[in-house]
Amino acid sequence: MSALRFDKAWRFEPRREPSRLMLWLTPVLAVALTLIVGAVVFTALGYDGFGAVREIFVSPLFDSYRWQDLLVKAAPLALIAVGLSIGFRANVWNIGAEGQYVLGGLGGTGLALLTLDAEGVWILPAMMVCGILGGMIWAAVPAFLRTRLGVSEILSSLMLNYVAIQLLYYLMRGPWKDPMGFNFPQTAMFSASQTLPTAVPGTLIHIGIPIALALALVAWGLLARTLAGFQVRVVGLSPQAARFAGFREGRVVWMALLFGGGMAGLAGVLEAAGPFGQMVPAFPTGYGYTAIIVAFLGRLHPLGIVAAALVLALTYVGGESAQTSIGLPAAAIGVFQAMMLFFLLGVDILVRYRLTRGARPVAPLPAPLPKPEPVRAREAAL
């Protein structure tokens, strides 16, 4: 019988239960790996890779003016990601936040154009309501297609992004084009009653930033303390248990998509009435796609999403600076964001598995079978 063998190679061993510590440490590890690998990759491409990492992820943290821009860009990311996280928890995969963001901006802009000559404190809240409704209407299409026809909301919501952008282009070059805009495809500038006031005088920080933080806290409370939040969690964890408890999956799908669309629409109207001050063809900035990374980097938790939104906002703020200071291409922003999601998905294995190395008994090799005697030898023996 052969001796017992031992395997000393590195291996993954299943955990008895998911590690809560690794659940929150792996996003930090993913960011660290992004910085290291990103620096190496751009150095190999002939750029100052380590200077790019410093300019994108470090320098904005020590500049008070960039901090203002950082908060301005983090607000829409947090709003959209919080809305998406509700659906993701229920296994409702809304990939159409970019289109819902655009429709929210168009909804608020439509009311702004109707009230250009009016004044009053009611105009801006009414624009926000129109923006929320615009995002919800756009999200209702994939909700209807899934619950009534069984169409995947991933495909339908994604395709609607392109429809929304083409609708934006049509309105900018046609009905909503400013006749006094020197033939540029853009709307008229919003009036003072239609523009977000600043939360801190003399800075870029508008009231959309505290609104985003407040809504993140509200979403946290809804998920943790309400029956609707409990339904979302149960449907996402165990659809069979949800059906046994009497929870209707279709209702959760509608609720998740409408909530995500409303939050994306609100982010759109806040951007149109804030940093843009009008509607332009360049309004789609990719926030709807980046918010998916924000949601998962923040572990689908509203407070984690706020922190993740600041990290992803760094790629926008620092990326713009790196383009002028070290000549980094604009596509580098997307590369860093994609690497962050890639590494996050990769290191997630540490939540359910641990990496170990040590002597582990392995089943011994079976003893070799005796060779058969030749036929002639057996006949001679007989």
Side-chain angles (χ1 to χ4, degrees):
M1 183 176 180
S2 60
L4 188 67
R5 298 184 302 115
F6 289 90
D7 182 11
K8 296 184 179 180
W10 289 99
R11 64 185 184 275
F12 286 103
E13 286 187 352
R15 300 180 186 270
R16 293 184 177 179
E17 59 182 17
S19 171
R20 294 185 62 84
L21 176 62
M22 295 307 299
L23 187 66
W24 294 103
L25 282 183
T26 46
V28 179
L29 180 59
V31 173
L33 288 173
T34 299
L35 301 184
I36 297 171
V37 176
V40 174
V41 167
F42 281 101
T43 299
L45 292 175
Y47 297 96
D48 183 5
F50 291 92
V53 170
R54 182 184 63 252
E55 194 68 29
I56 294 174
F57 292 95
V58 179
S59 297
L61 300 178
F62 298 94
D63 189 326
S64 59
Y65 182 79
R66 291 187 185 179
W67 257 106
Q68 301 174 32
D69 199 17
L70 182 67
L71 293 175
V72 169
K73 285 182 168 55
L77 289 175
L79 278 174
I80 301 172
V82 167
L84 293 178
S85 68
I86 303 297
F88 293 164
R89 281 177 173 268
N91 286 330
V92 178
W93 304 102
N94 180 10
I95 313 298
E98 184 74 4
Q100 294 148 23
Y101 164 86
V102 171
L103 261 292
L106 290 178
T109 300
L111 181 63
L113 296 179
L114 291 174
T115 58
L116 275 178
D117 298 327
E119 294 183 0
V121 295
W122 61 272
I123 297 179
L124 189 58
M127 289 173 59
M128 294 182 188
V129 172
C130 290
I132 293 172
L133 291 176
M136 293 176 71
I137 291 172
W138 212 243
V141 178
F144 174 81
L145 292 176
R146 170 169 169 173
T147 56
R148 296 294 183 179
L149 303 176
V151 178
S152 170
E153 74 278 8
I154 297 175
L155 295 176
S156 59
S157 62
L158 178 62
M159 293 299 101
L160 283 173
N161 290 340
Y162 303 100
V163 178
I165 292 174
Q166 295 303 318
L167 176 61
L168 168 68
Y169 292 164
Y170 164 72
L171 293 175
M172 293 304 98
R173 292 174 171 85
W176 289 3
K177 184 177 180 180
D178 183 13
M180 306 299 294
F182 302 98
N183 206 33
F184 285 101
Q186 61 189 22
T187 66
M189 294 293 297
F190 293 171
S191 65
S193 298
Q194 301 165 343
T195 305
L196 291 180
T198 57
V200 181
T203 67
L204 300 175
I205 302 175
H206 54 71
I207 63 169
I209 296 171
I211 288 176
L213 180 58
L215 288 178
L217 295 174
V218 170
W220 182 24
L222 291 175
L223 278 173
R225 302 295 181 184
T226 65
L227 178 60
F230 179 69
Q231 291 181 5
V232 167
R233 298 198 306 271
V234 172
V235 170
L237 293 173
S238 177
Q240 291 183 348
R243 287 192 292 269
F244 182 77
F247 298 157
R248 296 174 58 184
E249 184 179 0
R251 181 180 298 175
V252 174
V253 170
W254 273 98
M255 179 175 60
L257 282 170
L258 291 182
F259 185 82
M263 292 289 277
L266 177 61
V269 70
L270 291 178
E271 282 293 288
F276 283 89
Q278 63 180 154
M279 184 56 67
V280 294
F283 183 72
T285 53
Y287 284 161
Y289 299 111
T290 307
I292 299 174
I293 306 176
V294 172
F296 284 104
L297 191 65
R299 289 306 184 194
L300 304 183
H301 190 286
L303 297 186
I305 286 173
V306 171
L310 292 172
V311 175
L312 268 298
L314 273 175
T315 62
Y316 286 103
V317 177
E320 294 171 356
S321 176
Q323 292 176 41
T324 57
S325 60
I326 62 177
L328 202 67
I333 298 175
V335 172
F336 276 107
Q337 293 176 351
M339 283 195 298
M340 202 172 297
L341 179 60
F342 173 79
F343 286 121
L344 179 64
L345 297 176
V347 297
D348 260 355
I349 193 175
L350 298 176
V351 177
R352 296 184 178 275
Y353 294 84
R354 63 166 56 90
L355 185 62
T356 61
R357 183 186 183 188
R360 182 183 63 169
V362 181
L365 294 174
L369 297 175
K371 293 182 178 180
E373 297 180 2
V375 176
R376 291 181 181 178
R378 292 202 302 269
E379 291 178 350
L382 293 174

